[in-house]
Each structure stands twice: as structure tokens, then as C-alpha cells.
Amino acid sequence: MLENSTLGLSMKPYNLTEEQISFFNDNGYLVVEQLFSHDECDAINNLMRKEADESFSAILNPDRQFKEIRDVMRSPRIVSILSTLANAEIVGLMSQMLFKEARSPYASQAWNPHQDNTYPQTPNGEYVTLNIALQDHDVKNGCLYIYPGSHKEGIFPFEPTKSYREDPKSNPGNTVDLEILKKYEPKKTNLEIKKGSTLFMQGNCIH
């Protein structure tokens, strides 16, 4: 198997099934189980922890500083999935490391329900977010929740909110109106994701 020389990343592409593609189109998200090995997750996590400040606040665009992170973003398994789900050429990438270090200021911070595409506001939701779980995510330690199907109506009205290096006592995320959320509340789903699994989310999907 071909491997990347920095983190030992597999260079094999990942072929989605028709069922996975349909699930993404219907729900606005897809979790690909165990896309990364535990060793790969530990290597990424260890690299980023060395760069964390004392508050373990978010790190924006670490790929611009570390080739290893750029290698993750450009790995064939990631690019092949993104190209399939977006049904388009991938023309721009950005990265962010979010910590939930126990007893750190950001450990218990919760985000407001928001759509990621309220930031770049690309047409037709042509913005896909992916989250690599470097540790298990569950309800107890703070997993993501998502509103399936909410990606089908474009960008909703929202309240702009600071969402990077914000006060850890605040709730970031460009907040979707509560009346809109009521429509999707019955479908609200907690995404408990195992280490190494990766969430792909259409930019208009509320979470």
C-alpha cells in the first residue's frame, strides 16, 4: 500500500456506495466509519496539541504551517469523497483544529444551531465541511447534533455571531432563527462518532 511519508497516510481513494451518496443527498450529511486509523488520529492529535495555547483555543488553518495537515486535507480518500459528494472539482480548502480539552476554558462550550455556509455563502450549498474524530464523540463528552434534511432550503435568516477565538463563555455560530428550528426539531440527531470516523456535511445543513 502506498503511504504518505509524514504521517503514514494511506494513499488509496475511498469509493462511496450509492447508498452512502443517497443518504448524503437526502440528509445533508454522511459519517464514513473508520476512515482514519487510530494511529493516524493520534499522530494528528499529538502534532496539534504541541501547538495549543494554554486555553486550548481553536487553531485556524494549521495546514498553512504544517505539511502534515495539508497532506491529510489532500489525501486521496478525502478528495475522492468530497469530489463525489459535491459533484464538482474541489477548488478551495481550509482547516481548523478544535479542542475539547478537559477542564480547559473551551471544554464545555456549546455552539448555537447554525449553517456553515452562512460564512462563505456559496451558491447551492457548494461548501462541504468534514470533521475527523480524533477521539470518540458521544453525548457525555460533547458530540455534535444535526438537523437532517435542513440543507434543502438554502441559507436561512441568521444572527451573525463571532465564531473564532471568541469568549469561551459565549455560544458561537451564526444562529438560525428559533422558529425555523421548530420545523426540524423532531429530526434532531446526536452524532455519536467513533475515533477515526469522519463526518461530511453539506454547508446548508443545520447543526
Side-chain angles (χ1 to χ4, degrees):
M1 180 184 298
L2 294 174
E3 292 187 344
N4 177 281
S5 60
T6 54
L7 290 177
L9 297 176
S10 167
M11 299 300 285
K12 293 180 64 176
Y14 185 97
N15 296 315
L16 293 173
T17 65
E18 290 299 324
E19 182 180 8
Q20 287 174 309
I21 296 170
S22 294
F23 185 93
F24 178 84
N25 290 334
D26 290 342
N27 295 281
Y29 76 95
L30 174 70
V31 176
V32 179
E33 304 289 348
Q34 304 303 305
L35 189 62
F36 289 83
S37 71
H38 283 203
D39 286 344
E40 290 171 333
C41 290
D42 290 342
I44 297 168
N45 197 19
N46 291 337
L47 175 65
M48 288 291 90
R49 285 177 61 84
K50 292 177 182 178
E51 300 302 313
D53 60 22
E54 62 182 11
S55 297
F56 283 90
S57 51
I59 300 175
L60 187 64
N61 293 319
D63 66 290
R64 298 180 184 178
Q65 182 177 357
F66 299 100
K67 180 181 182 298
E68 295 90 338
I69 304 303
R70 178 57 62 95
D71 288 340
V72 172
M73 297 170 66
R74 298 174 63 180
S75 64
R77 78 189 96 168
I78 291 294
V79 174
S80 60
I81 294 174
L82 284 176
S83 298
T84 299
L85 295 180
N87 194 29
E89 180 184 4
I90 306 303
V91 296
L93 296 170
M94 65 162 288
S95 62
Q96 185 171 190
M97 179 69 185
L98 293 175
F99 298 97
K100 284 294 182 180
E101 181 73 8
R103 293 176 293 281
S104 72
Y106 289 94
S108 60
Q109 185 186 59
W111 285 58
N112 294 311
H114 65 282
Q115 297 170 294
D116 286 347
N117 197 30
T118 57
Y119 300 98
Q121 299 193 26
T122 61
N124 303 315
E126 294 170 353
Y127 183 82
V128 179
T129 298
L130 66 93
N131 293 349
I132 303 170
L134 302 181
Q135 296 289 347
D136 290 350
H137 295 185
D138 55 39
V139 173
K140 185 176 180 180
N141 69 15
C143 66
L144 198 71
Y145 57 85
I146 199 163
Y147 295 80
S150 57
H151 65 298
K152 297 180 179 180
E153 298 187 59
I155 298 176
F156 295 112
F158 62 90
E159 178 183 346
T161 308
K162 185 178 179 181
S163 301
Y164 177 70
R165 296 281 176 108
E166 65 290 327
D167 182 343
K169 296 180 181 180
S170 68
N171 300 108
N174 287 340
T175 314
V176 174
D177 187 90
L178 289 176
E179 289 302 313
I180 294 171
L181 287 179
K182 288 179 182 179
K183 175 180 177 180
Y184 294 100
E185 192 67 26
K187 294 184 177 182
K188 182 179 177 181
T189 302
N190 288 317
L191 291 181
E192 296 192 302
I193 302 175
K194 292 295 185 181
K195 181 178 179 178
S197 297
T198 304
L199 167 68
F200 293 82
M201 183 169 53
Q202 205 261 20
N204 292 340
C205 191
I206 301 172
H207 60 289

